Amino acid sequence: MKFKDFKQEMLNDPEVKAEYDHLTPQYELIRQVIELRQQQHLTQKALAEKTGIAQSAISRFESGNHNPSLEFLQRLAQGFGKSVYVELREKVRLKNSLFFDRTLVEAGITIASARLPTRA
């Protein structure tokens, strides 16, 4: 079975879908930070030196084992030469049918200088 098919099958379970939707903003932010770090050819250690954040804290964040504070995100953003923008919005349905609060995604997207998909 292909992963895409397995994922779709699992998301048919309402409990799994709810948890997946809940975690989507967090993992999207993590993905964007890792992508930025790689684009800038930075190791976790180099990013730690630029930001004053412990390398172990960056590692925990990237592995999903650390719930970052706004200060943590601001220091990461500064290390990338970016800024953080957080905005509370209504939950929206995106084209991929996921429901989630865009707050953390907004912060991550702004760090990555990208935009969210349009509303469906």
Side-chain angles (χ1 to χ4, degrees), residues 74-94:
Q74 288 171 321
R75 289 169 67 188
L76 278 180
Q78 187 175 29
F80 292 127
K82 306 289 183 183
S83 64
V84 174
Y85 176 74
V86 178
E87 182 177 13
L88 299 177
R89 293 190 174 187
E90 293 180 39
K91 291 183 180 184
V92 295
R93 183 181 184 103
L94 300 179

Side-chain angles (χ1 to χ4, degrees), residues 13-33:
D13 179 328
E15 288 182 41
V16 172
K17 176 90 166 76
E19 186 64 16
Y20 181 86
D21 290 348
H22 175 74
L23 293 173
T24 295
Q26 177 180 346
Y27 284 104
E28 177 62 17
L29 181 58
I30 291 167
R31 183 196 62 76
Q32 290 174 15
V33 167

Side-chain angles (χ1 to χ4, degrees), residues 36-50:
L36 266 175
R37 187 172 57 74
Q38 291 173 341
Q39 286 172 356
Q40 294 186 16
H41 306 287
L42 295 170
T43 61
Q44 289 179 349
K45 182 178 179 182
L47 182 59
E49 291 169 358
K50 284 182 80 170

